[in-house]
Amino acid sequence: MSVVVPRTLTDALSAMAANPSALLLQGGTDLMVEINFNHRKPVDVIALRRVAELRAVKIDGKTISIGAGLPYQEMETGQIAQLVPALGQAARTVGSPQIRAAGSLGGNLGTCSPAGDGLPVLSALDAMINLRSASASRAVSIHEFMVGVKRNAKMPDEIIVSATMPIVRGWQGYAKVGVRNAMVISVASCCLVVDRAAGTVAVALGAVGPTVIRCRQAEQWLATKVDLKQTATIDAKLAAEFGQRVATEARPIDDHRSTADYRRHAVAKLSGRLLQRSGAQ
Ligand SMILES: Cc1cc2nc3c(=O)[nH]c(=O)nc-3n(C[C@H](O)[C@H](O)[C@H](O)COP(=O)(O)OP(=O)(O)OC[C@H]3O[C@@H](n4cnc5c(N)ncnc54)[C@H](O)[C@@H]3O)c2cc1C
């Protein structure tokens, strides 16, 4: 196996252009598992760990761009957790401290598992995914980027550089259910974002469909029931009905982690509780 270790994004892009079949390695917390299980046998690897540009955080007042290689531990606290609280919360649920020291949003996007904890947050915030190849750059909406179970819209010679999301004035939260409290892949997850300036709510679900699901009908229904520009206590009955409506948009399956019925129940509860929390703050 050949391993190229570029120090700049330009060098990484040149290495990709020269060999688009090479596998990109960031933290390795997904890729090394696949290699260890013989699910993948890469011939050439481009290790991105030394590319500082991929760990950059850029804030322009209205938006924040988070480098694809930034490890989760940098999102758990500090400025990112303050400006994008749902991402901070999601980051704190990923694996263990060791996994959070290495794993990245770029890797979550690269793997594109419907259970990836960063992805419902990016969906609820309508994030843009910034991609580059040696000859071009483009920004793709997260909704077009995630195309199916472990499938995304990245071209073979592209590197995910960063994800850009708005800094929302309002409330946001992330919650997940798993078989235990830590070191667990989501059985069901939910991100809820209330934008007080726009008077809108966004709800995205993880692990209950082939990819992350945005619940547009429940979002629209809620906007007719509550003035989302104001903070107001959310009645338990309203939260429960909202949860039921969210659950009807899920497309869960039975698998080794859980059943479709339980997953539907879980997203109803998670979304209802997040909505109630949004009204309390
Ligand atoms: C014990 C354990 C626990 C885990 N727990 C969780 C959990 O709770 N929640 C969760 O969401 N995930 C979890 N994971 C999975 C994993 O940690 C995450 O998906 C993480 O985000 C992967 O990031 P990485 O940098 O390690 O990716 P890597 O393994 O380096 O790469 C993953 C994929 O993305 C591609 N890739 C990486 N960077 C780029 C880039 N810049 N451009 C294009 N493609 C790229 C790679 O080629 C590869 O296909 C866990 C894994 C383990 C081993």
Side-chain angles (χ1 to χ4, degrees), residues 2-88:
S2 81
V3 181
V4 176
V5 188
R7 307 236 163 197
T8 66
L9 186 55
T10 308
D11 286 351
L13 291 166
S14 304
M16 278 300 271
N19 186 1
S21 65
L23 267 184
L24 293 170
L25 176 79
Q26 180 63 54
T29 61
D30 275 327
L31 198 59
M32 292 312 296
V33 175
E34 291 199 10
I35 293 173
N36 286 344
F37 280 114
N38 271 337
H39 294 159
R40 281 206 197 188
K41 294 181 182 166
V43 177
D44 302 304
V45 169
I46 300 171
L48 299 172
R49 198 91 189 253
R50 303 269 163 87
V51 181
E53 289 137 289
L54 291 176
R55 291 195 303 276
V57 178
K58 293 180 191 148
I59 299 165
D60 74 3
K62 288 189 174 162
T63 64
I64 178 166
S65 293
I66 298 175
L70 192 76
Y72 291 112
Q73 70 177 18
E74 306 286 327
M75 303 171 210
E76 290 177 53
T77 55
Q79 208 172 21
I80 296 178
Q82 220 178 350
L83 296 174
V84 198
L87 190 59

Side-chain angles (χ1 to χ4, degrees), residues 2-241:
S2 81
V3 181
V4 176
V5 188
R7 307 236 163 197
T8 66
L9 186 55
T10 308
D11 286 351
L13 291 166
S14 304
M16 278 300 271
N19 186 1
S21 65
L23 267 184
L24 293 170
L25 176 79
Q26 180 63 54
T29 61
D30 275 327
L31 198 59
M32 292 312 296
V33 175
E34 291 199 10
I35 293 173
N36 286 344
F37 280 114
N38 271 337
H39 294 159
R40 281 206 197 188
K41 294 181 182 166
V43 177
D44 302 304
V45 169
I46 300 171
L48 299 172
R49 198 91 189 253
R50 303 269 163 87
V51 181
E53 289 137 289
L54 291 176
R55 291 195 303 276
V57 178
K58 293 180 191 148
I59 299 165
D60 74 3
K62 288 189 174 162
T63 64
I64 178 166
S65 293
I66 298 175
L70 192 76
Y72 291 112
Q73 70 177 18
E74 306 286 327
M75 303 171 210
E76 290 177 53
T77 55
Q79 208 172 21
I80 296 178
Q82 220 178 350
L83 296 174
V84 198
L87 190 59
Q89 290 166 25
R92 290 196 285 277
T93 76
V94 173
S96 61
Q98 294 88 338
I99 297 295
R100 297 197 289 274
S104 64
L105 269 188
N108 226 209
L109 287 160
T111 299
C112 218
S113 157
D117 284 308
L119 307 181
V121 180
L122 297 180
S123 173
L125 288 168
D126 297 315
M128 297 299 289
I129 309 306
N130 304 304
L131 298 152
R132 274 191 56 189
S133 68
S135 57
S137 53
R138 64 184 179 126
V140 182
S141 157
I142 184 70
H143 309 300
E144 282 152 34
F145 184 82
M146 301 183 292
V147 294
V149 183
K150 298 198 171 178
R151 286 195 303 120
N152 64 41
K154 186 185 96 61
M155 306 297 273
D157 64 342
E158 285 179 323
I159 291 180
I160 305 162
V161 176
S162 61
T164 302
M165 57 216 87
I167 297 169
V168 176
R169 182 176 71 73
W171 188 91
Q172 50 186 266
Y174 178 79
K176 88 182 192 189
V177 171
V179 291
R180 56 187 180 195
N181 272 347
M183 277 292 273
V184 70
I185 302 293
S186 293
V187 155
S189 64
C190 179
C191 179
L192 184 137
V193 175
V194 180
D195 183 333
R196 298 263 179 242
T200 55
V201 66
V203 189
L205 306 178
V208 290
T211 186
V212 171
I213 292 176
R214 263 294 284 274
C215 303
R216 309 264 181 203
Q217 287 161 31
E219 292 171 7
Q220 282 162 17
W221 175 84
L222 188 68
T224 66
K225 299 286 170 194
V226 189
D227 179 4
L228 292 161
K229 291 191 173 174
Q230 313 287 334
T231 310
T233 308
I234 304 282
D235 170 69
K237 214 171 134 206
L238 181 86
E241 182 166 358

